[in-house]
Amino acid sequence: MASSHSSSPVPQSNSSDAFLKKEMDATKRFRPVQSLPDVCPKEPTGDPSNLCDSPSLVVDQHRWTIYHSKVNLPAALNDPRLAKRESDFFTKTWGVDFVDTEVTPSFYLPQITKEHFALYQQEIAPREKVHERCKNIYTPKDTFDRTLLHTHDKSRTDLEQVPKIFMKPDFALEDSLTFNAVLPWSHFSTAGGKGNRDAASSKLLQEKLSHYLDIVEVNIAHQISLRSEAFFHAMTSQHELQDYLRKTSQAVKLLREKISKIDKVMCEGSLRVLRLSLTRNNCVKAYNKLKLMATVHQTQPTVQLLLSTSEFVGALDLIATTQEVLQQELQGIHSFRHLGSQLCELEKLIDKMMIAEFSTYARNDLNRPLEDDCQILEEERLVSLVFGLLKQRKLNFYEIYGDEMIVTAKNIIKQCVVNTVSQIEEIDTEVVVKLADQMRMMNFPQWFDLLKNIFSKFTIFLKRIKATLNTIRSVVFLVLDKNQKTRDLEDTLQKNSAKDSVVDTEVAYLTHEGMFISDAFGEGDLPPVAADTTSQRNTSPNSEPCSSDSVSEPECTTDSSSSKEQTSSSVTPGGVEMMISDDMKLTDLELVRLANNIQELLYNASDICHDRSVKFLMARAKDGFLEKLNSNEFVALSRLMEGFILDTEQICGRKSMSLRGALQSQANRFVNRFHEERKTKLSLLLDNERWKQAEVPAEFQDLVDSVSDGRISLPEKKPAATEERKPTEFLIVEGQKYATVGTVLLLIRIILEYCQCVDNIPSITTDMLTRLSDLLKYFNSRSCQLVLGAGALQVVGLKTITTKNLALSSRCLQLIVHYIPIIRAHFEARLQPKQFSMLRHFDHITKDYHDHIAEISAKLVAIMDSLFDKLLSKYEVKAPVPSTCFRNICKQMAKMHEAIYDLLPEEQTQMLFLRINASYKLHLKRQLAHLNVVNDGGPLNGLVTSDVAFYTGNLQALKGLNNLDLNMAEIWEQKR
């Protein structure tokens, strides 16, 4: 019944024990710590942690295992941790609440009631009655039972006489208390006169103990007699049992010898191979671990070497990989306890170095000579810096570039001014120290060339900035694209893993002390899935590859699949190949925001150039220099500025309003001065105009001809011809002759200058339209004051305003009216649709001019009307014929015709004389009525008819009036 292995009847072999014990100890050194196995062995499932750890028949036959332990059921049932003693064994495993928890009835078990046992009770009832009858028949057994019970009671009474101390299981006389209780010392004392009494007491004690012994022996004999038959049967079977045990022992011994031989022949060598393979793998692991430690030890020198060549991305990747290796592979190594903190400090140093390097790069890129070459400076270096800054989440690096842009823009203007001033001999730089004062001493051509040079430098400056920022944005977008591709790949892998959840792979395994054969052999013998997984692990930087005869183990790699750095190759627009790693933990939102900020930096560059240009313009405009420019100079300046604005908009893709606003402000000042000069000039011309027909120089005729071709522009000055063209009397406009005064010729040129200025400076179209409308209104009103209002009598000193002056004024107004629609169309083509309402000014001007022309015609008719009234009021019907009155009238009509015929077109002359004739007939009719002369064929009627015929003949004899229908019959009163 012994439980230890020392009492085992199995024969032992000392030599085998020594060998196996030695081998077992050797394997213990390599076997990892494992948890205790289950009592029931399990089938292998491919996981080493799930394999059973049952004892080996060969190795563990002499070693104590868990299967030698015994279970104390009372101890298991009496759990001392429970507050109360539970009768259910399951509470030990499932908790104290197991018994009290109400179990929900199962849906699959029927509810059992007494009715289910009714049929059984009916079948068993007759059998129970038969059984009761049999019990009553066999009664002799009761006598034996009573006898046996009586004997048992008697034996029990005798045993009760024996003290309880002898019945204790821990009874031992070696114990002093037990010895004193059984044999008191008082019975052995020989002192005094009590010797006889003590001797009697000792004798009595001896008899008592003998009596106790007799009782026990009687009871033992009684028990043996009761079981004598079984005892003697057991004794007789002892020899047969010993024979069986001897045969069994021999068979077991033979079996163990065979198993030992099999172990030596078939298993021992294979197991030794496995142990050696495990030892070799462990050595390889240790070698790889040492090699990895050597590689990690070289991290800091390697980082210093990379930093010396500005390989910041490589240095950061090496630091990140080393940190990962320290946390996963080399965690707890005492020699590397400070390396992690040192690498963190080194990473912070790299951050500062990258920022300083980027600042230096920005300074060198922006301050290099501004030539036509817009190539990116050291693109590979820029890409490396941007990747490093993105890797370290330094997303505000573009602000450094923005600060350098502001400084460089100031230096560009300063350098251009210095270079230009140094080439001008008239400016003494020793006397005039400030650059602004030196710039103000330049004339317009010099200053204009300086401004053109500044604009060209700014254009190249912006192109370089755009190229650099586009490279930076391309790097950001490549990282963003890599993030999206990685996310799509993860989604695809998740879908594939959901479809192929079960992968059937055949893995040969051999259970040996809880280890798989895949753990014992090298990577070359692994299944494809395991080999692929191992091959995907990337070795640490600068580590030597494992030799061909060694086994590649995960110890020389970074195991964590969540942190392994996979890289992909990408190419920037400039052709620089980049390796993008997966460890850039930047969100899409951050990358998009950074790309937008970089694009905004390009817009800021345009604004900076415009702001610096505005300050340059304002510095030159302090002394009113820009306001004193003539039209050609300001147009050239405006075109230069407009060209620069368009170039910057094309480069940067957004409008900058500062320079455009400054140009508009200067343009408004120019428009005011331009208009005031023209208006003053027109006023002086009108004040000196004598309203006589002027000869038309050839250049004005060419000017009008250029407008007739459909374009409004000032013709270029032609070189002097060998034979100068003579001036003409009339201005030919689209086949019509216009007699004009010199003021109107100059006014036409001024109008064309307004239109030309609008073409050159589109931003002032609305202002020019307003000013031109004001100029045309001023000419109309002033000419009306001078001619119709007779203001020329006092201003110029004319004696009188003649009909020729009136007709010439009307014709000049008609010439201006002819050009108003052309001017309107010219402005309409250059206005925005929402500004078309301003064209109503031309409609009002046209109406005013027509009214003025009609007033002049009415004035001419009124002159003749007063003449008719004066002459015909004295008319008398008498001989001779024609009368003096009619002769004077015809003479005045001829003078009128002579004055206006060459000035006005034939149609207008006819219409004017028709109106004069109507006035003549009205006055003649009134006079004839006053004289009571009627159309009765009498002598008076004959005289009047002769005078009228004379008037009609003279009037129709005038040039252009021969076909005029005079209708002289209206002079007579109609008979009622």
Side-chain angles (χ1 to χ4, degrees):
M1 298 298 290
S3 61
S4 64
H5 63 279
S6 59
S7 62
S8 175
V10 181
Q12 301 179 4
S13 175
N14 294 332
S15 61
S16 177
D17 288 346
F19 175 78
L20 291 176
K21 184 175 183 181
K22 181 178 181 181
E23 291 297 325
M24 178 184 65
D25 294 338
T27 57
K28 278 186 177 180
R29 290 196 299 270
F30 297 99
R31 188 178 61 188
V33 179
Q34 298 179 356
S35 59
L36 292 176
D38 293 337
V39 176
C40 298
K42 298 178 180 178
E43 290 296 329
T45 59
D47 188 359
S49 60
N50 292 333
L51 289 177
C52 63
D53 196 15
S54 58
S56 174
L57 183 62
V58 178
V59 179
D60 298 329
Q61 58 180 333
H62 304 297
R63 189 182 66 174
W64 187 91
T65 64
I66 193 172
Y67 298 101
H68 291 85
S69 63
K70 300 299 185 293
V71 178
N72 191 351
L73 187 59
L77 293 176
N78 297 327
D79 191 351
R81 295 174 295 179
L82 297 179
K84 58 181 180 177
R85 292 293 182 261
E86 300 292 346
S87 59
D88 198 337
F89 172 73
F90 298 106
T91 57
K92 179 175 177 61
T93 302
W94 293 346
V96 297
D97 297 331
F98 175 77
V99 177
D100 298 335
T101 302
E102 182 179 357
V103 179
T104 304
S106 175
F107 297 101
Y108 304 101
L109 297 178
Q111 195 71 22
I112 304 301
T113 60
K114 291 183 178 182
E115 285 75 9
H116 290 84
F117 298 95
L119 181 60
Y120 173 76
Q121 290 178 352
Q122 293 177 2
E123 293 178 355
I124 207 65
R127 298 182 184 180
E128 184 180 6
K129 294 179 180 179
V130 173
H131 176 67
E132 292 295 335
R133 287 197 301 269
C134 292
K135 286 173 59 178
N136 297 329
I137 295 174
Y138 296 98
T139 56
K141 188 177 180 181
D142 292 343
T143 304
F144 174 77
D145 291 339
R146 285 194 298 270
T147 305
L148 184 60
L149 182 59
H150 175 71
T151 305
H152 177 70
D153 292 340
K154 183 179 180 182
S155 300
R156 184 175 180 180
T157 303
D158 294 338
L159 284 175
E160 289 178 354
Q161 297 178 10
V162 180
K164 300 299 183 182
I165 192 172
F166 294 102
M167 302 300 180
K168 290 183 178 180
D170 56 348
F171 178 79
L173 290 177
E174 294 84 355
D175 187 7
S176 59
L177 297 177
T178 304
F179 185 81
N180 292 331
V182 175
L183 299 173
W185 286 104
S186 60
H187 295 177
F188 300 96
S189 176
T190 57
K194 298 180 181 178
N196 295 331
R197 188 178 57 185
D198 292 338
S201 298
S202 298
K203 186 176 181 180
L204 180 62
L205 178 60
Q206 184 177 4
E207 291 178 356
K208 186 186 296 185
L209 291 177
S210 299
H211 178 66
Y212 293 159
L213 179 61
D214 294 339
I215 293 174
V216 172
E217 288 178 350
V218 170
N219 278 278
I220 292 174
H222 178 69
Q223 293 296 329
I224 292 174
S225 63
L226 293 177
R227 295 173 176 81
S228 59
E229 184 178 357
F231 176 75
F232 289 109
H233 177 73
M235 292 300 293
T236 55
S237 302
Q238 181 66 27
H239 297 289
E240 184 179 359
L241 181 60
Q242 288 181 355
D243 293 339
Y244 288 156
L245 289 176
R246 186 166 48 256
K247 292 179 182 179
T248 302
S249 177
Q250 293 176 355
V252 169
K253 182 177 180 181
L254 181 62
L255 178 62
R256 287 186 174 181
E257 291 177 354
K258 291 182 179 180
I259 291 176
S260 178
K261 292 180 182 179
I262 293 173
D263 180 28
K264 292 180 180 179
V265 175
M266 299 183 64
C267 299
E268 186 175 347
S270 300
L271 293 176
R272 184 180 295 107
V273 170
L274 291 177
R275 293 190 189 97
L276 292 176
S277 178
L278 288 173
T279 304
R280 179 175 177 272
N281 286 339
N282 291 333
C283 293
V284 171
K285 292 178 183 180
Y287 168 73
N288 290 332
K289 187 75 70 175
L290 292 174
K291 186 167 64 174
L292 183 60
M293 292 174 63
T295 303
V296 171
H297 183 66
Q298 295 296 323
T299 297
Q300 289 178 316
T302 306
V303 169
Q304 296 293 342
L305 180 62
L306 291 173
L307 293 180
S308 64
T309 58
S310 298
E311 291 290 339
F312 299 106
V313 177
L316 290 172
D317 289 338
L318 180 57
I319 290 175
T321 305
T322 305
Q323 292 278 24
E324 187 175 359
V325 171
L326 287 175
Q327 293 176 2
Q328 295 180 1
E329 304 295 334
L330 303 180
Q331 187 176 9
I333 295 180
H334 187 71
S335 59
F336 290 150
R337 64 188 183 278
H338 300 305
L339 183 59
S341 59
Q342 292 173 359
L343 293 178
C344 291
E345 294 298 328
L346 191 59
E347 190 172 0
K348 294 179 182 178
L349 177 62
I350 293 176
D351 291 348
K352 297 179 181 178
M353 291 180 62
M354 284 193 300
I355 293 175
E357 186 74 12
F358 185 79
S359 179
T360 304
Y361 175 85
R363 193 178 303 110
N364 295 337
D365 179 48
L366 296 175
N367 292 325
R368 55 184 169 144
L370 291 170
E371 300 173 354
D372 293 336
D373 184 17
C374 297
Q375 295 295 328
I376 302 174
L377 179 65
E378 300 179 7
E379 184 176 1
E380 294 183 359
R381 177 185 174 193
L382 174 62
V383 170
S384 176
L385 283 172
V386 173
F387 267 112
L389 292 169
L390 291 178
K391 185 179 181 66
Q392 296 303 105
R393 299 181 64 83
K394 302 296 182 182
L395 303 182
N396 58 345
F397 65 90
Y398 62 90
E399 296 176 358
I400 301 174
Y401 201 83
D403 296 338
E404 289 296 333
M405 288 192 310
I406 297 175
V407 176
T408 306
K410 294 180 182 179
N411 295 335
I412 288 174
I413 293 182
K414 183 178 179 180
Q415 190 62 37
C416 289
V417 173
V418 170
N419 294 338
T420 304
V421 169
S422 63
Q423 298 174 0
I424 301 175
E425 298 179 356
E426 293 81 1
I427 301 176
D428 189 357
T429 56
E430 295 180 357
V431 178
V432 183
V433 180
K434 294 184 178 180
L435 285 177
D437 297 336
Q438 295 174 0
M439 179 188 64
R440 294 189 186 98
M441 296 179 66
M442 300 179 187
N443 55 29
F444 178 77
Q446 295 171 345
W447 181 81
F448 185 78
D449 292 338
L450 173 61
L451 182 62
K452 185 186 297 183
N453 186 26
I454 291 174
F455 284 165
S456 63
K457 298 293 185 183
F458 274 156
T459 302
I460 300 174
F461 177 66
L462 289 176
K463 289 181 179 179
R464 285 185 177 176
I465 292 175
K466 181 179 181 180
T468 302
L469 293 182
N470 283 344
T471 301
I472 297 175
R473 292 182 79 238
S474 66
V475 172
V476 175
F477 284 131
L478 285 174
V479 175
L480 179 62
D481 183 63
K482 177 63 178 177
N483 288 349
Q484 294 176 351
K485 288 183 179 179
T486 303
R487 189 162 51 251
D488 295 341
L489 181 60
E490 290 176 356
D491 296 340
T492 303
L493 292 176
Q494 289 179 359
K495 293 180 181 178
N496 293 337
S497 62
K499 294 179 181 178
D500 305 330
S501 58
V502 179
V503 178
D504 296 330
T505 57
E506 296 182 359
V507 181
Y509 63 91
L510 176 65
T511 305
H512 174 70
E513 296 193 356
M515 300 295 292
F516 273 114
I517 193 171
S518 58
D519 296 326
F521 288 104
E523 183 183 9
D525 297 330
L526 290 178
V529 176
D532 292 342
T533 305
T534 306
S535 64
Q536 287 178 0
R537 299 169 180 169
N538 299 326
T539 58
S540 60
N542 302 325
S543 62
E544 298 179 359
C546 299
S547 59
S548 59
D549 59 345
S550 63
V551 181
S552 299
E553 289 295 325
E555 275 67 25
C556 62
T557 64
T558 53
D559 266 344
S560 177
S561 61
S562 62
S563 61
K564 52 187 177 181
E565 301 176 2
Q566 297 180 353
T567 59
S568 62
S569 177
S570 301
V571 181
T572 61
V576 179
E577 185 174 357
M578 301 173 297
M579 302 301 294
I580 305 177
S581 59
D582 288 342
D583 62 340
M584 291 192 180
K585 305 303 181 182
L586 294 174
T587 63
D588 293 351
L589 181 61
E590 291 175 336
L591 292 172
V592 171
R593 187 184 295 114
L594 178 59
N596 293 336
N597 291 336
I598 295 173
Q599 183 64 33
E600 191 66 28
L601 187 61
L602 180 61
Y603 300 152
N604 294 340
S606 176
D607 294 339
I608 290 170
C609 293
H610 282 223
D611 293 341
R612 302 311 305 178
S613 301
V614 169
K615 291 183 178 180
F616 178 78
L617 289 174
M618 293 299 103
R620 189 67 182 90
K622 282 186 177 180
D623 55 353
F625 173 77
L626 298 180
E627 297 178 2
K628 298 176 184 179
L629 299 179
N630 58 37
S631 300
N632 294 331
E633 291 174 344
F634 189 82
V635 167
L637 176 61
S638 176
R639 287 181 175 178
L640 178 63
M641 295 175 67
E642 285 286 349
F644 176 69
I645 291 171
L646 292 177
D647 290 341
T648 55
E649 289 178 0
Q650 184 178 5
I651 294 172
C652 301
R654 191 178 72 172
K655 295 182 179 180
S656 296
M657 303 307 298
S658 58
L659 185 59
R660 192 182 297 274
L663 176 61
Q664 185 65 38
S665 176
Q666 293 298 328
N668 293 336
R669 296 178 183 177
F670 168 76
V671 167
N672 292 332
R673 184 179 56 80
F674 180 88
H675 177 64
E676 292 299 328
E677 290 179 356
R678 269 70 183 168
K679 189 174 182 180
T680 303
K681 182 178 180 180
L682 179 61
S683 178
L684 293 175
L685 290 173
L686 287 173
D687 290 343
N688 295 313
E689 181 60 55
R690 302 189 66 85
W691 297 100
K692 291 183 180 181
Q693 183 178 359
E695 292 183 344
V696 180
E699 59 177 341
F700 283 96
Q701 185 61 54
D702 294 339
L703 182 64
V704 171
D705 292 341
S706 66
V707 176
S708 301
D709 293 338
R711 66 181 185 277
I712 297 180
S713 61
L714 296 174
E716 298 179 358
K717 292 184 178 180
K718 298 180 180 179
T722 56
E723 182 179 354
E724 294 183 358
R725 292 182 297 173
K726 295 181 179 180
T728 58
E729 294 183 2
F730 298 95
L731 185 67
I732 307 301
V733 180
E734 295 182 358
Q736 293 187 13
K737 294 182 178 180
Y738 285 89
T740 63
V741 295
T743 301
V744 174
L745 293 177
L746 294 175
L747 176 60
I748 292 175
R749 185 177 183 86
I750 291 173
I751 292 173
L752 296 183
E753 287 178 355
Y754 275 81
C755 296
Q756 183 71 27
C757 194
V758 168
D759 288 338
N760 295 331
I761 312 175
S763 60
I764 61 174
T765 302
T766 55
D767 292 337
M768 277 296 183
L769 188 149
T770 305
R771 302 300 193 282
L772 181 57
S773 301
D774 180 66
L775 186 71
L776 293 175
K777 291 178 181 179
Y778 176 77
F779 173 76
N780 185 39
S781 61
R782 186 62 178 160
S783 62
C784 182
Q785 293 173 3
L786 293 173
V787 180
L788 283 178
L793 298 179
Q794 292 80 19
V795 176
V796 185
L798 295 178
K799 295 181 180 180
T800 182
I801 302 298
T802 64
T803 55
K804 191 170 186 178
N805 297 137
L806 292 171
L808 187 59
S809 174
S810 175
R811 194 57 174 160
C812 290
L813 292 174
Q814 293 174 20
L815 178 61
I816 301 301
V817 170
H818 172 78
Y819 281 106
I820 288 178
I822 300 175
I823 298 170
R824 175 193 172 100
H826 181 81
F827 277 89
E828 184 177 3
R830 287 152 182 81
L831 288 175
Q832 299 293 332
K834 61 182 179 180
Q835 298 172 338
F836 285 167
S837 60
M838 299 184 66
L839 297 174
R840 67 181 184 276
H841 294 298
F842 292 111
D843 299 334
H844 297 159
I845 293 172
T846 303
K847 182 178 181 300
D848 294 341
Y849 272 69
H850 282 301
D851 293 342
H852 190 183
I853 294 171
E855 290 178 3
I856 293 176
S857 299
K859 183 66 176 177
L860 292 174
V861 174
I863 291 174
M864 296 305 295
D865 184 75
S866 61
L867 180 62
F868 293 151
D869 184 50
K870 179 180 178 182
L871 293 177
L872 289 177
S873 62
K874 300 177 182 179
Y875 173 62
E876 294 180 358
V877 183
K878 64 181 181 179
V881 177
S883 63
T884 304
C885 177
F886 273 79
R887 287 182 179 181
N888 291 332
I889 291 174
C890 289
K891 183 179 179 180
Q892 295 296 328
M893 294 286 281
K895 289 182 178 180
M896 169 70 75
H897 181 269
E898 182 182 1
I900 69 174
Y901 182 76
D902 292 335
L903 301 178
L904 297 178
E906 184 176 343
E907 295 81 5
Q908 293 185 19
T909 304
Q910 291 177 0
M911 291 298 298
L912 180 61
F913 273 89
L914 284 176
R915 293 178 63 185
I916 293 174
N917 182 59
S919 176
Y920 164 76
K921 290 189 292 183
L922 180 62
H923 285 282
L924 180 58
K925 181 178 180 180
R926 186 182 300 122
Q927 185 64 22
L928 292 176
H930 177 70
L931 297 176
N932 293 321
V933 178
V934 296
N935 189 13
D936 55 356
L940 295 178
N941 179 262
L943 292 174
V944 172
T945 302
S946 299
D947 287 336
V948 169
F950 175 75
Y951 165 80
T952 304
N954 277 276
L955 186 60
Q956 290 181 345
L958 295 176
K959 189 176 181 180
L961 303 180
N962 51 354
N963 296 325
L964 198 64
D965 185 12
L966 300 178
N967 193 12
M968 298 305 294
E970 294 180 354
I971 62 175
W972 305 106
E973 287 287 345
Q974 298 294 332
K975 293 182 180 181
R976 297 180 180 177

